[in-house]
Amino acid sequence: MVCLWPLAVFDCQDGNPHDYSGDISGICDQIHTACKGWGTNEDALIEALGPLGPVERFHVAKRFEEEYGTKLVDLMKKESGGSDFGTALQLLAQPIEEAECSILKKACKGMGTEEKLVVLVLAGRTNKEIQVLKKTFYNMYGEDLAVKMASELRGDMEAFITACLQAEEVPFDPEIHTEEAAEDAANRFDKAGREKFGTDESALFKIICESPPAFLKMVNLKYVERAGYSLARSIEKELRGDSEKAAIHALNMKLKPRETAAIFIENQMKGIGTKEYALTAGLMMFQGIMGQGFPPYEKEFGKPLEDRLKGELRGDFEKLLIAMANAEVKIDYVEEA
């Protein structure tokens, strides 16, 4: 599975000292200067934060607090407020795991839960990412993430997110994950859905969440041979609403993560009105696996992402998201089997 985070996140969680790369202190000084005195220099903030890849953003957030004794996200809240531009700056000003927990917190704010954001953060993630998210959410908000999700969600959606939070994906083992095992899993998936009167959702969720990506690809092929269509099509037939979308997102993050990321980003700009917060969150989270300029987006939709953003956004918010999309991404990710 593709891990969305740089290795620096896990090094920090393991208690290893930060190895700040590049001119991290210089970027922190640039941000500090942009916020000094009367008024904020928005262009300077875009220049400082916009072009950073996930590794550099993580280091800047950590280093800024060390140098100036205040969290960078708190400074951005003070300087930029609650506009789309300000909210985007606040996401970029946090270590990645904290930014994602703040997305979850926002998803649960007010009347009703914004399930799309919950799915974005929790569905189709590696075991290590889920474990860090649970720890970070508790440290930030004093709440157990699983308990919080259970209180916000209902029915199949609650059951699926609970399965995601259990972080029980098994490592790929060619001696265990054989063609015969894939055929058996495809059979169990079929019996839980197409061949059963009334869908056994928990059985479907278990196969999606516990199967390593390489094995799930084998299961998908076996299922196509058996049913004549894919696992994703089966989910569309058997589930409805948010749980259907969540299960398909998790499945496709294992089978085709970059295409899935491109589709999520495009969906935030389709139709009437752009979903600015979800668009920002998606760009931030997928930046590391999509690369500079988000080439998988252009491959999927036949148009550079920068051009699409220019057609949807305006002002400083547009400048910032284009800078994010065009950031020179430093890759140090682990793609798990």
Side-chain angles (χ1 to χ4, degrees), residues 63-72:
R63 185 62 174 161
F64 191 91
E65 185 173 3
E66 291 176 0
E67 290 196 2
Y68 296 104
T70 186
K71 285 183 174 291
L72 181 56

Side-chain angles (χ1 to χ4, degrees), residues 185-203:
N187 178 53
R188 286 185 283 115
F189 200 95
D190 211 12
K191 288 185 179 301
R194 188 172 65 107
E195 294 184 358
K196 183 177 177 62
F197 181 75
T199 305
D200 183 353
E201 293 86 356
S202 63

